[in-house]
Amino acid sequence: MENQNTKQTNNKVLIIGGGVGGIRAALDLAEAGRDVVLIDRSASIGGLMTQLDRTFPTNNCDLCTLSPHLSETGREHHIELLTMTELAELQGEAGSFTVTLTSHPRYIDLEKCTACGDCYEKFKDCVQFKPGLDHRAPTCMRYPRAIPQAFSIDISKCKDIDGLVSVCKSDAIIPDDTEKKRTVEVGAIVLATGAELFDPAVLDNYGGGAYPNVVTGLEYERIMSASGPTLGSLVRPSDGKQPQKVAWIQCVGSRGINKADVPYCSSVCCMYALKEAIVTKERFQDSIEATIFYMDMRTSGKDYERYRNRAEKEYNVKLIRSRPHTISEKPGTHDLSISYALEEGSRNVTETYDMVVLSTGFRPTEEMTVLSEKLGIELNQHRFAKTAGFSPVETSRPGIYACGVFESPKDIPETMAQASAAASKAAGNLDILNEMPASQEEMLPERDVTDQAPKIGVFICDCGFNIGGVIDVGEIAAYAEVLPNVVVAEVAGHGCSRESMLNIQSKIEECGLNRIVIGGCSPRTHEAKFQDMIRRAGLNRYLVEMANLRDQDTWVHKHNPDLATKKAKELIRMAVSSVALRHPLTDHLLPVNKDILVVGGGVSGMNSALSLANQGFKVYLVEQALNLGGLARKVNRTLSGDDVQGYIQELIAKTTAHERIEVLTGATVVDHKGMPGMFTTGIQIAPRMYYRQIKHGATIIATGALENRPQEYLLGQHNAVMTQLDLDSMLEKQPEKVKAWDHIVMIQCVGSRTPENPNCSRICCQTAIKNALRIKDANPGARIFVLNRDIRTVGFQEDYYREAREKGVIFVRYEFDAKPVVTGEGDQVLVSFRDPVLEKQLEITADCLVLSTGLVANDEATEDLAMIFHLNRTDDGFFLENHIKLRPVDLHVPGFMVAGTAHSPKDIRESIVQAQAAAGRVLTFLAKDTINLGAGVAKVDGKKCAACLICVRACPYGIPFINAEGYSEIDPAQCHGCGVCAAECPAKAIQLMQYEDDMISAELNGLLERIL
Amino acid sequence: MGNFEPVIVAFCCHYCAYTAADMAGSMRLSYPSNVKIVRVPCTGKVDTKHILQAFHKGADGVYVAGCLEGDCHFKNGNIKAARRVARVKKLLSEIGIEEERVEMITMSAGMGERFAQTATDITEKIRNLGPNPVKNIRDGQKQPA
């Protein structure tokens, strides 16, 4: 298809920018067996996210979420990481680019630097640190777990070069280091440069940069951050005192038309201000008052509206709709006075705050402009990457893809999805790999420990403050050291960091340890990591046990350190006594089925299917309706004016004609079994409902959503009342009728942001503006009123909101508890509402009332599918992804991805991004030729088995059978590992590996041994 | 007796209850530290003998926490577990231990709040029941060394 003629023998991708987007794209490509060169201008990768304190909605520590990814990036064989490196020149075309890269001198040998800090200790001035946005960072690495874990030197500032060189015990300092140039052949390029944040010092009305207690959102994050300049204490820069009243001002530098402003919305500031306010209230409760001044609260992402509601209702964050004009500083005290006008009656208020946070947004960097010229790609009017409406990650030059904020302002989940999409598209320019290169890692052979007495090593993580801030990890280690069979017990810092892992590995080899206990976070998230680690140290991967000291102890008992300490000791005791009985196990491997099942044949499903089929995979596309196209069949135009029907028809034609896509319409999924890499799904196909089974290795869920049609405002009862989708179709099919309307009223948030359906439906604001502009095009004299609760035109959609106002569309606010009232009046309807600015009740006789009803989950369908596939759903019936921030398209069941509106309401362009991302994630999943079923399967001891058939009856999957020798046999390849048979077996002839009876007994004994 | 702090064992399935417990952690919901979790792949793996062993060794309460009905990752392990818990209740009351000391609970992976609330409720209930009678017997039998 589109990329086939550009395929060359070149299998490398260049990724420019090592923030979260670049890291995600690099990891995806590497996991799919492609080589990556990842370059970043800074001395370490990680980008903006490393500067953040916590991320919503779980308010987790960012560093803790990100650092596992960073160490993956450092380790992955397929990734070559070049820091302090820029692109100098580009030649060639998609499939065979030649890029010239310039690496600036670091004056430090990365191979030798151990990041001990001696150089920084003695020569603070010349050991360079990239301060990012924080001039008060405590270390010269940008963040404590920097990758690469090494310093860098600013040689021009050094007066005593010999002294500097001699201070380094590792001989890592290279005083005559020089700029290096190299050329690399790559097949495709992914741009993930990010953007910078607006510097409010250029505005003279807010005192940014002038008043010490006015800080930007990011500076506030740094102040709150445990790795920040104040080590996490929230204090005013002017006097070091804790503030009592903090205010946030939204849209500083964004959504404006003044000299320093940009017209677009920066998309992320509403959520980060809410998060900062919530985290502040969480830490200080009523001792700090938090107020946010906003224009429109744009919480339109998945479950974001609930977060906003929590901020207001649970945390008492005050939300005031107003854009303050000026901040003035009170002489002497550095307190700040804000004057603002309330929307209600335009009343003026002046209030004093101790600290003000300016919510500044994204700005394109100079680097982006220079880079775009070197690459020969076009930028849009806002100087972000220009992409076509239905090709959201493709720049104007084939083979070059954009993701993250370089494409448009966006938050982390959207960046992650777009990065996966860009990676997937980039991979399309490379050869189809029939055989993925095997891992080149030299593994130590496994040490045979079967007959050895247990020699246990216990390692206790502090996980920064997460564990270490609540309990004394040294005390726990000392306690563990004297437990039976324990040889070594140590504290391990961030145990999952690269250096800690290396340290534990060398301890294992040094002391001949043969069982390991990690006291740290949850085995759910980190067990595999530690299993890999001990395997690298020559131990069988099943000889490690984790004690969940963080998620199930210090996080929940942080207010009672004594009890937390006692519980930590008990958890360690349980783990130590059970690990002693662990024994080596062998994983079961099976060949992967490389075919893919896509459920849902709308825009998302077809895009996923085409992406994968183009890369050589066989795809089954199952659609319940009789036609492909889904809900988009009812949409004619996008906000930017693109022709949706033309696009859909082309997509359907490509999909149905593709030799590797088998389209099954009228097909319903009825059953499902198997495991990741070898699923079997049963479908019934209309009209005769004949049953067929499909074997596949991975699954993409793209079942879409439904138009909401709530029984409100006379919808379905009066001819003048319709939804935005109905209007869209009238605009196309009955333009004359639309032209004849004089007065049109639109009501936003119909059926969403209500107690029954608390979330925002995301697409309705842009849809209303799109249709209002279309009406205005047809009939410039039409009077259009949009009754709204907030207008949420995020990113560049803001341009259309401005255009609509310029063209005379009138936007009037209404409150949820004072909804408009609609009554029929002949062919027309009378809409009565209160204008808060005029403080008057107004009435409009409208020829047409359009309800912005948004999308709701197809509850029945998602419930059935969730049941059949064992997937999780949100409260409102959308599929729940694996990790809202870092894995937005992966579902909880390995091998399952989600795309489009089955995930949450989103527009066509966003659905395409997610569809391509889901395809990309499937590529990584199917890259391996074998799947590892793990070792957790049931084993029968034939000597004890009495062939009583209880296991045969108990197994939910019907796997056990009585073999020729007369005892029960369980095929490890088919066993799901639930252990029901083991629990039911009266003779105790069955044991579930990893959860053997004696291990559970030992765990209980470990807990209870001192009670009686 | 006044400061009786019960020891409670919670057998939690990996897919729902254990995940809900982690979720309670990430939501920073606090619950009594009396509850100690033993992770199992499925509540269907929880053996009657292990529940009894916990009481035998002095646990004051035991609960088995699995997925919501119909949501079991392994089809119906939670239903089998509920049956076993009912059987244990009978056994306990036959030997004079209050059957309320053992319960079957279900929750989904996302229910961090329910996990914390359950832990709080059950701890309170067991606290009111007082120590496991097995302890008294043992205490009575204990001879000075």
Side-chain angles (χ1 to χ4, degrees), chain A residues 706-866:
Chain A
L706 299 177
E707 184 196 18
N708 192 7
R709 291 191 82 92
Q711 298 299 305
E712 215 179 340
Y713 301 120
L714 305 180
L715 182 64
Q717 296 166 40
H718 194 290
N719 282 338
V721 182
M722 60 188 74
T723 64
Q724 292 286 0
L725 267 183
D726 300 335
L727 171 62
D728 186 298
S729 133
M730 279 190 82
L731 279 159
E732 213 63 23
K733 293 183 186 131
Q734 298 164 285
E736 294 317 309
K737 215 169 165 183
V738 175
K739 245 183 195 170
W741 294 336
D742 291 327
H743 288 86
I744 299 101
V745 176
M746 295 182 180
I747 303 179
Q748 300 302 105
C749 302
V750 178
S752 28
R753 299 180 65 195
T754 63
E756 303 78 52
N757 182 24
N759 275 312
C760 163
S761 193
R762 189 170 175 95
I763 56 163
C764 330
C765 283
Q766 55 162 305
T767 309
I769 286 167
K770 166 184 80 178
N771 287 341
L773 285 171
R774 286 161 80 191
I775 296 173
K776 278 284 186 187
D777 279 347
N779 176 12
R783 303 267 288 159
I784 307 174
F785 297 85
V786 181
L787 310 184
N788 65 84
R789 293 169 63 191
D790 286 286
I791 289 292
R792 296 182 166 174
T793 41
V794 293
F796 305 141
Q797 294 170 7
E798 185 73 9
D799 293 342
Y800 299 95
Y801 178 30
R802 201 178 46 258
E803 185 186 337
R805 281 175 292 160
E806 282 163 2
K807 287 188 171 161
V809 177
I810 294 169
F811 292 83
V812 184
R813 202 82 64 191
Y814 78 87
E815 294 300 326
F816 178 68
D817 44 20
K819 284 187 184 178
V821 177
V822 177
T823 41
E825 256 197 13
D827 288 345
Q828 297 174 308
V829 286
L830 184 73
V831 185
S832 161
F833 57 93
R834 188 172 177 281
D835 185 314
V837 179
L838 303 175
E839 289 190 292
K840 262 189 185 151
Q841 196 69 25
L842 301 181
E843 282 183 348
I844 295 170
T845 308
D847 303 299
C848 171
L849 171 65
V850 194
L851 306 181
S852 295
T853 55
L855 299 174
V856 284
N858 187 346
D859 198 47
E860 231 169 88
T862 60
E863 188 180 3
D864 285 351
L865 290 172

Side-chain angles (χ1 to χ4, degrees), chain A residues 4-11 93-96 429-432:
Chain A
Q4 268 174 1
N5 45 6
T6 60
K7 286 198 178 80
Q8 301 278 323
T9 52
N10 204 324
N11 270 313
E93 56 187 79
S96 59
N429 285 279
L430 310 182
D431 273 348
I432 294 171

Side-chain angles (χ1 to χ4, degrees), chain A residues 212-215 220 223-224 230 232-246 280 283-284 287-288 332-336 353-356:
Chain A
N213 295 331
V214 175
V215 298
Y220 192 78
I223 295 175
M224 296 281 278
T230 58
S233 356
L234 171 56
V235 291
R236 305 209 307 174
S238 73
D239 53 12
K241 285 193 192 132
Q242 186 186 309
Q244 255 114 60
K245 278 176 82 178
V246 183
T280 305
R283 279 178 57 184
F284 302 100
S287 60
I288 296 188
T333 62
H334 293 295
D335 289 348
L336 302 158
Y353 294 89
D354 301 318
M355 225 172 143
V356 176

